[in-house]
Amino acid sequence: MTALSVVQARRLASATLLPGFEGTTLPEWLADRLRSGLAGVCLFGGNIVSRAQLAELVASIRAASPRAIIAIDEEGGDVTRLYYDVGSPYPGNAVLGRLDDEQVTEHVARIVGWELRRVGIDLDLAPDADVNSNPRNPVIGTRSFGADPHLVARHTAAWVRGLQSTGVAACVKHFPGHGDTELDSHLALPVVRGAIEQLRERELVPFAAAVSAGTRTVMTSHILLPDVDPDHVATFSNRVLQGLLRDELGFGGVVVSDALDMAGASAESGIPLAAARALAGGSDLLCIGTDNTDEQLDEIETAVADAVASGALTDARLADAAARVAALATESAELAAQLPVPEWVTLDDEPQFDPALLRSAIDVLPSTIVAPDRVLVVLQTVANIAVGVAPWGPQAAGAEVLVVTEAEGAEAVVHSLPEGAQAVIVGQGIHRHDWTRAVAERVRAERPGTIVVEMGWPDASALAADLTTWGASRAMGGALVERLAELEGDVA
């Protein structure tokens, strides 16, 4: 093709960008960019105060650009945006993996899809297809369907089928697999060692299933795999994105970058250069971050145009990325026209799931005895950035709890519990934090009969929990309270 001018390169760059923004209404600068060809926007918890407000916000985006791609992270569990203010009514992936009923998984994803369609969103950055093989993983955990690649593959495919049956595009993440990490790529660059054969036997299995199920998009991960490509993070790696994803797995859809404001992508280079590198490596639609600015997008367009001028990014690769994104937007608009939202999907009612089914996913150690007089003690840790500050656990479900922070520690528990009351210690990833593990161990030692409840991903080798819920959504918080009542006075 003819060499691109700077203006053409900047226009094509804009057609690949998916920024976030601050506030609950569409900023005028962003509306101007949408009218001028910006690919779309990504919505986060801070943009949403209610589903009615969200529908109005999406309508304003569509007014500026009818074919804009509007994306959101709604994983149906601990990571929620639709219910960021009250906590998720969905069970979450690890619970679905424990239930191991693909029809249930497909049903949950279908409900998520219709909820998104009702407010006008057409791209869901879900499901998480990572095989959570490392129980100390700080960012995946219960977002994963499990540690068995074939189970994860079956449920990933079911989630894709359910979601996409509503016209919403799935985005299977985080390619080629973020499950075997002990670092959070929001904060650092995880390095995953292992030969390509190991990758094919474990990490790639769910992604292959997702491609076979017809996923329309796949999200990259900001991880380094030195045994596959020692020089480039996966988001920037042609060996990973072209070689593995497109050539080996046969994926023909849109490759979406994980957010480029994450440290794993841009801590050393800055976001503009990271954007150019992502396009050169094979990413098509670039998630930029949460609170982006007009000036920042200008800098990204300039960096992409400079990369084209220097030859670091070819004209053909940039044009291909923009064309793939445009095709996704067109397909989404056509599907929305063909698939009307059912009348039973409203902005007022939230989904309900069988309480007995959710309770059945909770693991209980034998000989666990729940006393009638008990106090729920919630250990409040800092959630990872993907989860954010959405309400979670029994307190989100309306239960009375004693919240304990790191600064208060075990002393707050020991001295605040009424005499004779049973302590029920509740946390997420209790084994991953020194202070939460210390609280659980001390209270167990000083108050016999103490129960420890793990609402994150457990690691029995570090701390054996009495109950494990495999998720901390509001739905599972309610299920926990009900399960404790069922166990009251009995031996599990």
Side-chain angles (χ1 to χ4, degrees):
M1 62 180 289
T2 305
L4 295 174
S5 69
V6 171
V7 172
Q8 290 171 323
R10 290 178 64 93
R11 185 178 300 119
L12 287 174
S14 178
T16 70
L17 301 184
L18 193 71
F21 62 93
E22 188 174 357
T24 57
T25 58
L26 182 66
E28 187 56 35
W29 68 265
L30 192 50
D32 285 342
R33 285 188 175 273
L34 286 164
R35 287 187 282 265
S36 299
L38 182 72
V41 296
C42 188
L43 302 176
F44 294 89
N47 302 125
I48 302 168
V49 294
S50 71
R51 281 174 288 172
Q53 169 267 330
L54 175 58
E56 293 179 5
L57 172 59
V58 170
S60 69
I61 296 169
R62 293 259 177 252
S65 176
R67 292 291 177 89
I69 292 172
I70 304 177
I72 198 167
D73 278 294
E74 184 55 57
E75 296 183 8
D78 291 4
V79 175
T80 184
R81 303 294 180 249
L82 289 177
Y83 296 94
Y84 196 68
D85 57 336
V86 294
S88 175
Y90 290 96
N93 282 2
V95 173
L96 295 174
R98 300 295 291 180
L99 295 173
D100 198 13
D101 184 329
E102 292 165 47
Q103 290 185 335
V104 172
T105 296
E106 190 168 335
H107 171 70
V108 168
R110 187 177 297 111
I111 300 302
V112 170
W114 285 129
E115 283 214 278
L116 296 179
R117 278 291 312 281
R118 173 58 70 195
V119 295
I121 291 169
D122 53 13
L123 173 60
D124 189 10
L125 305 179
D128 191 306
D130 298 307
V131 179
N132 199 70
S133 56
N134 188 338
R136 295 190 64 83
N137 195 316
V139 70
I140 304 301
T142 58
R143 300 167 67 191
S144 167
F145 290 109
D148 177 271
H150 300 288
L151 179 145
V152 175
R154 288 189 288 104
H155 288 276
T156 296
W159 222 95
V160 169
R161 290 193 302 268
L163 181 73
Q164 294 194 162
S165 71
T166 68
V168 176
C171 185
V172 180
K173 59 191 184 185
H174 306 81
F175 191 82
H178 207 311
D180 190 19
T181 62
E182 289 195 22
L183 293 177
D184 182 348
S185 53
H186 292 88
L187 307 174
L189 175 60
V191 176
V192 179
R193 296 197 173 274
I196 185 64
E197 289 76 21
Q198 175 182 304
L199 203 67
R200 291 186 177 115
E201 291 173 1
R202 187 173 65 185
E203 276 74 17
L204 296 186
V205 174
F207 291 98
V211 171
S212 296
T215 186
R216 292 164 61 198
T217 77
V218 171
M219 178 177 281
T220 69
S221 61
H222 305 322
I223 62 174
L224 183 68
L225 299 102
D227 300 293
V228 178
D229 186 342
D231 301 317
H232 301 94
V233 172
T235 298
F236 309 150
S237 173
N238 188 264
R239 293 186 195 176
V240 171
L241 301 182
Q242 183 65 42
L244 292 180
L245 181 56
R246 295 209 184 276
D247 296 344
E248 186 167 321
L249 299 189
F251 178 64
V254 171
V255 176
V256 182
S257 79
D258 206 348
L260 295 177
D261 64 347
M262 295 165 60
S266 59
E268 295 185 2
S269 68
I271 295 173
L273 184 54
R277 288 175 174 172
L279 288 165
S283 298
D284 303 310
L285 180 60
L286 307 186
C287 289
I288 309 302
T290 53
D291 298 332
N292 303 122
T293 65
D294 192 26
E295 294 76 17
Q296 195 174 45
L297 296 198
D298 260 337
E299 293 170 359
I300 292 171
E301 290 178 8
T302 298
V304 171
D306 288 347
V308 170
S310 71
L313 171 63
T314 67
D315 295 1
R317 170 80 275 273
L318 178 58
D320 175 60
R324 289 181 185 274
V325 172
L328 175 66
T330 298
E331 184 181 27
S332 293
E334 292 172 349
L335 287 170
Q338 295 167 11
L339 298 168
V341 180
E343 292 183 1
W344 54 264
V345 184
T346 75
L347 294 177
D348 300 317
D349 298 327
E350 68 178 39
Q352 302 289 327
F353 300 98
D354 180 2
L357 185 68
L358 301 186
R359 292 196 300 272
S360 72
I362 298 175
D363 291 336
V364 185
L365 280 184
S367 302
T368 299
I369 299 177
V370 179
D373 184 11
R374 57 185 179 274
V375 177
L376 297 177
V377 180
V378 173
L379 306 183
Q380 189 67 58
T381 51
V382 177
N384 65 60
I385 294 172
V387 172
V389 295
W392 63 276
Q395 65 272 38
E400 184 176 346
V401 303
L402 169 64
V403 177
V404 175
T405 65
E406 181 175 7
E408 295 165 324
E411 294 298 329
V413 182
V414 172
H415 296 300
S416 300
L417 287 173
E419 186 68 29
Q422 181 183 46
V424 181
I425 306 293
V426 181
Q428 297 184 70
I430 299 173
H431 61 281
R432 292 193 301 102
H433 307 279
D434 291 341
W435 79 270
T436 53
R437 191 171 60 252
V439 168
E441 291 171 348
R442 178 175 169 186
V443 177
R444 267 180 167 170
E446 295 189 13
R447 297 186 73 109
T450 292
I451 290 175
V452 173
V453 178
E454 176 55 71
M455 298 200 77
W457 192 278
D459 183 1
S461 66
L463 181 75
D466 299 284
L467 285 85
T468 303
T469 65
W470 298 96
S473 67
R474 172 162 53 96
M476 293 312 296
L480 168 64
V481 173
E482 293 169 358
R483 189 72 180 104
L484 289 169
E486 285 181 337
L487 293 169
E488 189 175 300
D490 295 330
V491 177

